Amino acid sequence: MIAIDFTHDPQRESWIDSANEAGTDFPIQNLPFTVFHTGDGDPRIGVGIGDQVLDLRYCAAQGLLDAALVEPAQRQVLNGLMSLEPARRVQLRQAISQWLHVDTSTSQAVLQEGLYPQDAVEFCLPCQIHDYTDFYASIFHATNVGSMFRPNNPLLPNYKHIPIGYHGRASSVVISGTDVVRPVGQKAPAEEGQDPTRSPAALLDYELEVGFYVAQGNPLGSTIPLELAEQHLFGMCLVNDWSARDLQKWEYQPLGPFLAKSFATTVSPWVVTMEALAPFRVPEYQRPDGDPQPLDYLSSPENSASGGVDIQLQVSLLSKQMREKSLPPQSLSQTRFTNMYWTIAQILTHHASNGCNLQPGDLMASGTVSGPERNERGSMLELTWNGDAANPTPGTDRTPLQLPTGEERKFLGDGDELILHGFCENEQYRRIGFGECRGTVQPAR
Amino acid sequence: MIAIDFTHDPQRESWIDSANEAGTDFPIQNLPFTVFHTGDGDPRIGVGIGDQVLDLRYCAAQGLLDAALVEPAQRQVLNGLMSLEPARRVQLRQAISQWLHVDTSTSQAVLQEGLYPQDAVEFCLPCQIHDYTDFYASIFHATNVGSMFRPNNPLLPNYKHIPIGYHGRASSVVISGTDVVRPVGQKAPAEEGQDPTRSPAALLDYELEVGFYVAQGNPLGSTIPLELAEQHLFGMCLVNDWSARDLQKWEYQPLGPFLAKSFATTVSPWVVTMEALAPFRVPEYQRPDGDPQPLDYLSSPENSASGGVDIQLQVSLLSKQMREKSLPPQSLSQTRFTNMYWTIAQILTHHASNGCNLQPGDLMASGTVSGPERNERGSMLELTWNGDAANPTPGTDRTPLQLPTGEERKFLGDGDELILHGFCENEQYRRIGFGECRGTVQPAR
């Protein structure tokens, strides 16, 4: 696990005033990475600080970085930094923290030249994502979804033994702010024996997820022991795994979700490093009595003690009508990443446990983060219980969502914007945030 | 569909004698692309001709190519050539065919400098595969597998309406000749309520598949009408989709195959272009009376008339003992790609039908190619009917495979080498081949 050092000191302040304001996602204790351009389409790596982004390519050109860091810091993607030794990443974080500290010995005038207001830049995908894998690691989500479709058998026998996952589509991972076109696809026949139909997805949904990027990878045929898994984690982000439930229902047997997912997956622009998250590591999810212990390759004292990450998550919706009336987004749910049945280290170790080679920049997503309460459900499917008032299940609340405009939602409408937030907060350390992950639904073409 | 032109003339001969020999996979009518190096790890694009490979980077440096082709021809991967306009690809093929023709006006002495014996070079992955998708397009395979695990319901209701597919793992796609390490993984508990176990896969299998590479892609949110699908196909190859059946059985519900597949997928080094395959296009699979017609977006007169590709396929096995006794590989099965329920154009169009963006170099594989007869089954699972003599199904032959050494196989043993072959042959045109797709199973680590 990464050591707590001076960069985490909650008293530490920056000479950039906005980084010291209460409630900022990006105090000097955070320093998330991103990739951005300033309107010219020339992407470079940046670091978030207050309401600014510091151009790391510029800093490298100014001679501020160690020789070994210059080349990876000047790329258009984070993959080079991701593939560094963990100690090098700590070194880079400490250097940046020193530049931005109130008592910096580095010229503020020089650094000032490399700062851009965040609201004046365009964000890009932070890295080349070679492979994207989506998991299913919230037992509350898996139980909710299973209850709708297999009421007598909500959780399959493998769930408590395997971090269930599937390969996702890497090409359609897009950066926050990218519009999402409602997909068209096949839907199950209305009655058995009839032909399926094809039309725009009616049951379009979001999934509130947390993603992590792989740092150093492993060669094909080798594995990553759980004890070493944390060294292979670079940082975390927010993920919206847009899902077309009607397409999924018809296509997904026997080989899993495909076109119901591959039309878009949105990631947040900021990658919050594992170094920044060190003060927010918590014990793994406490499995209820009677649940099986994971097999040996998924068990370690360190994972039990600090494999969790205490991220608080929020999702909200802004409809077209709400936007036109200048209403604020409506909160749909709030949950915590501590609700996950599997830790990110277990997920990574399992992924490589068959000899599968991981590569720097691979993206793994948690699956929908849902908690035990109704207001902790991370998808519309769960919030409106499949929007299916005709098929009630005892104890579930199937009222459609009411928006302040009088609109109702069982699933997403055209023009709806979904906004994910995440942050870490505890009594001892400075609050850090993940920024936003946004996307607006456009009508089917 | 691509026009037949002078490059397909069966009388056409090359000044490279080996290209004119009966039975060669690589006559002047073929000209498949590959990527190779000569022991120095410096990959370049090549073209197969007889028992030689022509270095296209060298040809470009000699000024033999049009200006627009020089840069893509000099890359270390085929992605640049893949993204060319279809007319440019035809132009390139015609130029290469002219260089190698007996009556070439290009200096043979110059070209000779760019030739390497195929058995003296190392082959590399032919392109950067951004995303890999595996389908399930043989109804015979789907019915066989379904019969074993769902005897009363072998074919799910969606099968005849959707080209079923799933996202595969791109990072573990390897070039022919790469050893395959037997994966270790979780297996279902012996009895309900017990814990699963973890050990090397016992039911390791191959799957005989055909792959195709995407040429030009499509932007996210757009689709590719079936009428235009052929323009987005670059060429075809052989694929061995190694599968760990015991891992798959335990992990695959509800989200599909994952670690049972992601330990290795082998592709052949040669990419046989759609131009070379033009003389072997045949009508799509003749669906039995009573089967539903595909929905409109998967129907076109051209697809019906010539959407099929008549590739003959063979798979053989060479065990360690057989190799030590210098015995030849034993044939396991022979089948034809005309057995596929869905055409490659339908597969591509379906993949993009939700707005998913395809990219040059994306690999799509057919799924196991099995035909109606026992000796046309494309996997060990089907040949030995799950190796499961304790659970007989009427009418199935569950005798283990007998090897000439007296060894028996229900699934693959350590040291077993699998060899796939493919070729196209008809009465009117010159036979062309796909070369080999090989891989040897190494013991679990």
Side-chain angles (χ1 to χ4, degrees), chain A residues 128 131 158 161-162 167 169-171 186 196 198 221 250 253 259 262 297 350 353-354 357 359 362 445, chain B residues 128 131 158 161-162 167 169-171 186 196 198 220-221 250 253 259 262 297 350 353-354 357 362 445:
Chain A
Q128 189 182 7
D131 278 289
N158 55 17
H161 299 283
I162 293 187
H167 307 298
R169 178 81 190 176
S171 73
Q186 286 198 33
R198 184 164 184 269
W250 174 232
Q253 286 284 16
L259 301 190
S262 63
Y297 78 108
H350 180 68
S353 67
N354 66 339
N357 54 327
Q359 300 183 86
D362 282 349
R445 289 181 186 159
Chain B
Q128 189 182 8
D131 277 290
N158 55 15
H161 299 284
I162 293 188
H167 306 299
R169 178 80 190 177
S171 73
Q186 284 198 34
R198 185 165 184 269
L220 186 65
W250 174 233
Q253 285 285 18
L259 301 190
S262 62
Y297 78 107
H350 180 68
S353 67
N354 66 338
N357 54 326
D362 281 350
R445 287 180 190 161

Side-chain angles (χ1 to χ4, degrees), chain A residues 140-378:
Chain A
F140 302 104
H141 171 69
T143 304
N144 284 340
V145 173
S147 299
M148 289 173 222
F149 302 113
R150 297 178 301 270
N152 299 321
N153 187 25
L155 217 54
L156 294 173
N158 55 17
Y159 189 85
K160 295 180 178 176
H161 299 283
I162 293 187
I164 294 290
Y166 66 99
H167 307 298
R169 178 81 190 176
S171 73
S172 51
V173 177
V174 297
I175 195 67
S176 177
T178 307
D179 283 343
V180 172
V181 179
R182 181 182 296 270
V184 174
Q186 286 198 33
K187 302 170 185 181
E191 291 181 37
E192 205 180 307
Q194 290 184 344
D195 280 344
T197 55
R198 184 164 184 269
S199 55
L203 311 187
L204 185 62
D205 203 354
Y206 67 91
E207 291 193 339
L208 166 65
E209 304 199 6
V210 171
F212 65 86
Y213 291 100
V214 173
Q216 291 183 311
N218 63 303
L220 186 65
S222 74
T223 60
I224 299 176
L226 188 62
E227 293 74 8
L228 300 180
E230 293 274 345
Q231 297 184 21
H232 294 262
L233 302 171
F234 180 77
M236 303 183 74
C237 66
L238 305 173
V239 178
N240 183 345
D241 175 30
W242 303 90
S243 300
R245 303 296 180 193
D246 35 4
L247 278 51
Q248 186 172 351
K249 188 179 171 191
W250 174 232
E251 75 169 2
Y252 94 107
Q253 286 284 16
L255 301 182
F258 182 45
L259 301 190
K261 302 278 193 175
S262 63
F263 59 94
T265 305
T266 306
V267 293
S268 57
W270 302 103
V271 183
V272 178
T273 64
M274 299 317 295
E275 288 76 21
L277 292 165
F280 305 100
R281 303 306 298 266
V282 294
E284 68 175 334
Y285 176 79
Q286 192 66 38
R287 297 180 172 214
D289 285 346
D291 273 16
Q293 286 307 300
L295 292 185
D296 284 350
Y297 78 108
L298 296 177
S299 287
S300 79
E302 187 178 24
N303 183 69
S304 299
S306 56
V309 194
D310 186 11
I311 308 171
Q312 300 186 49
L313 298 160
Q314 301 174 329
V315 54
S316 52
L317 185 151
L318 185 69
S319 74
K320 185 160 174 283
Q321 281 191 35
M322 290 164 72
R323 202 160 41 242
E324 286 166 358
K325 296 181 180 174
S326 299
L327 294 169
Q330 172 161 317
S331 174
L332 301 184
S333 65
Q334 304 83 39
T335 188
R336 276 181 121 102
F337 196 58
T338 48
N339 285 318
M340 308 311 281
Y341 200 79
W342 298 100
T343 67
I344 54 176
Q346 286 171 325
I347 285 172
L348 180 129
T349 287
H350 180 68
H351 201 319
S353 67
N354 66 339
C356 178
N357 54 327
L358 310 181
Q359 300 183 86
D362 282 349
L363 174 64
M364 299 188 197
S366 60
T368 308
V369 185
S370 292
E373 304 302 325
R374 187 188 186 284
N375 66 353
E376 291 184 280
R377 295 177 187 167

